[in-house]
Structure formats: structure tokens, C-alpha cells
Amino acid sequence: MKADMGRRYRLYPTPEQETVLTGWGHTCRALWNIALYQRIYAYVQRGCTLRAVEQCRYLTGARAELNWIAELPAQAGQQILRNLDRAYDNFWNPDHPAAFPAFKKRGHRMSIPFPGQAVEVRKLNRKWAEVRLPKLGWVRFRLSRALGGTVRNATVSRDGNGWHISFGMYTGRKPDSPNDRPGCGVDFGVAASAYVSTETKPRKMPPTLTDNERKRLKALEQRKARQIRYAKKHNGGKYGNRLRRTSTQIARLRTQQANRRSDFTHKLTIDLAQNHGFVGIENLRVKGTTKSTEGTVGKPGKNVRQKAGLNRSILDNAPGERKRQLEYKCRPYGAELRVVPAIHTSNTCGNPACGRVDTDSRPGCGRLFRCVWCGWEDDADHNASVEIEARARRISGSVIKSTRSTPTVRVPAPSRRRTRETRPATCGQPKGIASVHRGENGQGI
């Protein structure tokens, strides 16, 4: 199996190009919502499943009648419909955690997708290059590293720091044969971001926000709350320029925080994949772990604020993203990712001669693990990583229980259904709205 890689660069459009890209981004969001609504309507009313092939015909007719859709490049509109197909395929796949495709609101991340044959890239010098986009021309971007392959697709997006372009690259690189490097177990936690079983010190993620940035973010969020209340009371809920500026400043800080978190995650996962024969991690149920404490207004839950702070700390370490990156980074370097059950890893003695499970060995959430049976002492997180490595050696990469929250198996239809105009009269009776998400016999839309 050959590998595909992603490359992301900072894009620098001119003010005129930025205005065009902003309009295209809103058109892409509207087109996604319209196409998704059309698929739901066709399935509920007619029992038929629409795919990108059928919807491209409707898109051609809409471009002839609506100017705001015609301004968007045809390749981008077709790519949106293909992306919607992939979203449905992920929803049908029982091994994929994706939920049913959702509508995109106005505050959603702005992006314009293009197929690879619609764009062209040329290098200007050692630090700069430019990409030719349909109906827009050449746009400069910072060549921070070489592309290293053939462009399969491109996506122009905007976040709090500006515009970026991402390329899906075909590298042609095949996975390496299994290496002979030693394996390891990794415990992802809160106090220690990652503790590797073969190391004596934990790897801690630097603070994603400085103290001043954290104070500024809190002040901006409080200002935004006041401005929203004022807008609802005096402007009928309409956002003013000051409120939009406040939202932009918050988005810039949040983007910086996400970039710093992503930088640490990429450096950690690439180091683990390059220097180990196998990497053992826990099969964490992040969604269940970070679930808020249940309660009502009349009978609130206990320790709700403390649990909210713990949830933020867990999500800030991004254990799910680390697992996702290890899955595709281990293959090119001949390493193997082994996911082990997470039960009792913190309460199991790491001494090979003992290995007993006892909750008294680690009272509370202390940093010290002392086995009550053999007297083994170790850092609690390092002890857990040693147990994870031992389990990874025993399972040898076998498949364990999935962490999907929805046990229903979704499979695609055996053949693509046609629309009612091209099908016999026995197309099927209208189904209820509950069948939109699963359909009959567990099938999705």
C-alpha cells in the first residue's frame, strides 16, 4: 500500500483575491447544506439515495439560473459533492467513528476544495511558490517545505491567523519492512502529557497559552458576552462591527493555542514512530471520559466545575488525535501501533514478578505507585506505561473491542438507488424522519 501525505502552507492572497475567496467560502457552505438537505428530502419522501453523480446534474442547472453559484468554479462545486459522498461512506463504515453528516452554520471553518487537476503549482524561489486557482489566477504561498509528490487535491481555508492552502500529495512511498528497534508503551495523561516506558522522565506539553494570553482571552470572552447581550436587547440580535472584531481576536488566540498543541503532538508522534518497533497505547474512550457530570437545574450534579476543568485538561492533550497520527505515521517507518485495553493499567503492578491489580496501591490520584503486595515503587504514570508495554507485547497487534459509541453496524446499500423518475413504480413508500439516520435494516442514507 502506497502512502499519501498532506502539506499545508500559509497563503497570501491580494485584497481583491481575498474578497473573492471569502465569497466562494460562503457559497461552498451553502452548497453543502443544500446538497445535504436534498439527499435527506429524497430519502424521506421517495426512499431513494442520491450520490454526487446525480447531484452534479442538478448543480449544472443551478449554475445556469443562479449567478452566485455560477461564480464558484465548477470543479469546486463538484468536489463538494464528492466530499459529501465520502462523509456518507464514513458514516456507513462500522470501523469509522464519523457521525451522520451535519449542516454547516455561518461560523463554520471556511474552506474551498479543488481536485488536483484543477490547480497548478510552480516554484518561484527557495522560500516562495504560487498556485493557480480556477477563475482566480496565481496566488502566492510560503514554501516552508517541498511538496514531495504529485498533487491529488487542494483545499483553501481560513482560520484566525489568515488563509492557508492544503495539498493532498501522492508520494509513492511504500511502508518499510518491520524494523528491529525496541518497542515501548506510552501513557497519555494530564499531569504528564506522555510517559514513555523506556524513558525516566515524562514528556510535558508546554502551556498552549501564556499567562497574559490567558487573561486576555478571558477578558475578550467576557466582553463578547456583554456585546451579545446588548445586541439581543437593542439590535434585534444583529452583530455589529465591534462584536465581530472581538470574535476575530478570540479566534486568533484560539488558533494560536491549537497550533501550539498541534506542534507538540506532531513532534511527539513522529519521534515515537521513528525510534520504536511498536508503540503501545491505551484504547481510551475520550467521549465517555470527558462527559460532563449529569444533573439538572433543580438537582445539580456534584463537582461539576471540577469535572469541567478535568475535561478541558484531557481534551487539551488530544489523546484521540495522537492515536490518529500514530496510525498513519508508524507504517512508513516499519513500526506498529498496538492498542491495548485501558482497564486497570493505573492499578496494576509493573513488577514482572508480581503484576497484581489492587486499587490500594495507588490511593486517590497520587503521583506515587507503591504495590501493597511486593513493595514495588515507581512513578504512577511510568508504572502505567510499563504495564501498557507488557500488554502490547502479549497481544502482538491483535484486534480488540472497538471504542465506537454507536454499536449499530452501518453498511452501504448493495447498489446505488436511482431517483423516482428513472425507477419503476415500486420505488418504496415514504419513510419517517427517524429513518433518515439509519434507514431500514441498519442502512444509512
Side-chain angles (χ1 to χ4, degrees):
M1 183 178 63
K2 296 184 179 181
D4 293 329
M5 300 296 290
R7 296 287 186 266
R8 187 168 183 259
Y9 304 91
R10 181 69 180 268
L11 195 67
Y12 290 88
T14 63
E16 295 78 11
Q17 292 173 338
E18 185 174 1
T19 302
V20 175
L21 289 175
T22 302
W24 286 359
H26 292 302
T27 303
C28 290
R29 175 183 54 83
L31 185 58
W32 171 281
N33 292 339
I34 293 172
L36 178 58
Y37 180 81
Q38 186 185 34
R39 294 193 183 198
I40 296 176
Y41 182 86
Y43 188 82
V44 173
Q45 298 297 329
R46 304 178 181 179
C48 304
T49 300
L50 292 179
R51 300 288 286 183
V53 176
E54 292 89 349
Q55 287 189 307
C56 280
R57 304 193 191 103
Y58 302 134
L59 176 62
T60 302
R63 289 175 58 84
E65 298 178 3
L66 302 174
N67 293 332
W68 62 276
I69 295 182
E71 293 175 356
L72 180 71
Q75 301 92 328
Q78 296 167 1
Q79 188 69 18
I80 291 173
L81 300 180
R82 286 191 286 266
N83 291 346
L84 189 56
D85 277 355
R86 186 168 66 251
Y88 270 85
D89 294 338
N90 292 338
F91 171 69
W92 281 326
N93 186 2
D95 297 328
H96 200 285
F100 185 78
F103 293 97
K104 297 180 180 180
K105 59 183 180 180
R106 185 176 179 85
H108 193 271
R109 185 178 69 94
M110 186 175 295
S111 63
I112 307 106
F114 296 96
Q117 61 270 21
V119 300
E120 181 183 352
V121 180
R122 65 185 182 188
K123 184 178 179 180
L124 299 178
N125 51 49
R126 186 171 61 89
K127 295 183 178 180
W128 290 94
E130 57 184 3
V131 56
R132 185 185 60 81
L133 301 178
K135 290 189 176 184
L136 193 62
W138 294 96
V139 187
R140 291 163 59 92
F141 66 89
R142 183 74 170 181
L143 191 64
S144 55
R145 56 176 173 173
L147 290 174
T150 305
V151 178
R152 280 190 163 182
N153 55 73
T155 302
V156 178
S157 60
R158 188 181 69 180
D159 58 16
N161 283 339
W163 291 92
H164 297 80
I165 185 167
S166 302
F167 296 103
M169 306 301 301
Y170 172 73
T171 60
R173 176 179 177 177
K174 297 182 179 180
D176 293 346
S177 57
N179 58 54
D180 298 329
R181 299 185 182 93
C184 71
V186 186
D187 179 64
F188 297 142
V190 176
S193 299
Y195 213 131
V196 185
S197 59
T198 57
E199 298 176 358
T200 58
K201 292 183 179 181
R203 303 191 185 187
K204 296 184 178 181
M205 181 174 63
T208 53
L209 289 177
T210 64
D211 293 339
N212 290 337
E213 289 174 340
R214 200 177 303 277
K215 294 177 181 178
R216 175 170 171 76
L217 179 61
K218 182 178 179 180
L220 288 173
E221 290 178 341
Q222 292 174 347
R223 181 193 301 176
K224 181 179 179 180
R226 293 193 300 268
Q227 291 173 343
I228 289 177
R229 287 196 301 268
Y230 182 88
K232 290 181 178 180
K233 184 176 181 180
H234 300 282
N235 297 335
K238 183 179 179 180
Y239 282 20
N241 292 333
R242 292 183 179 179
L243 179 54
R244 296 185 186 278
R245 284 197 297 268
T246 304
S247 300
T248 301
Q249 293 171 354
I250 294 176
R252 185 175 295 111
L253 286 175
R254 290 296 186 186
T255 302
Q256 293 177 358
Q257 183 182 23
N259 290 342
R260 292 165 185 170
R261 183 191 306 116
S262 177
D263 178 72
F264 175 82
T265 303
H266 277 288
K267 290 179 180 178
L268 172 66
T269 53
I270 195 66
D271 180 72
L272 293 175
Q274 286 180 338
N275 300 320
H276 298 89
F278 71 86
V279 181
I281 62 173
E282 294 176 300
N283 195 11
L284 298 174
R285 297 178 59 92
V286 181
K287 183 183 294 185
T289 304
T290 57
K291 185 178 181 181
S292 299
T293 306
E294 296 181 357
T296 62
V297 177
K299 296 181 179 180
K302 297 181 179 179
N303 299 326
V304 176
R305 184 175 296 275
Q306 292 83 343
K307 186 64 168 62
L310 178 62
N311 292 345
R312 285 192 294 268
S313 300
I314 294 175
L315 295 175
D316 193 47
N317 281 276
E321 176 65 14
R322 294 176 183 177
K323 176 184 176 183
R324 186 193 70 84
Q325 291 185 13
L326 286 172
E327 287 176 350
Y328 75 85
K329 288 183 178 180
C330 285
R331 290 191 297 267
Y333 297 101
E336 181 184 2
L337 176 64
R338 301 181 183 180
V339 186
V340 304
I343 183 172
H344 294 318
T345 54
S346 299
N347 300 323
T348 303
C349 180
N351 186 3
C354 179
R356 299 209 182 188
V357 180
D358 199 318
T359 56
D360 295 334
S361 299
R362 187 188 176 188
C365 295
R367 296 295 95 201
L368 178 64
F369 181 93
R370 181 184 294 109
C371 182
V372 297
W373 296 90
C374 66
W376 171 272
E377 291 188 3
D378 195 1
D379 184 271
D381 295 326
H382 183 263
N383 179 81
S385 66
V386 172
E387 174 62 20
I388 293 172
E389 179 185 355
R391 295 186 183 185
R393 294 184 182 278
R394 290 196 295 267
I395 67 171
S396 298
S398 61
V399 179
I400 63 173
K401 185 177 179 181
S402 173
T403 59
R404 290 199 61 177
S405 59
T406 306
T408 304
V409 177
R410 304 185 181 97
V411 295
S415 61
R416 188 175 68 238
R417 302 191 184 108
R418 295 176 293 177
T419 58
R420 186 171 64 175
E421 290 79 6
T422 58
R423 297 188 62 191
T426 59
C427 182
Q429 299 296 328
K431 299 175 177 59
I433 193 67
S435 65
V436 171
H437 296 282
R438 286 191 177 85
E440 295 182 354
N441 300 325
Q443 292 184 356
I445 296 177

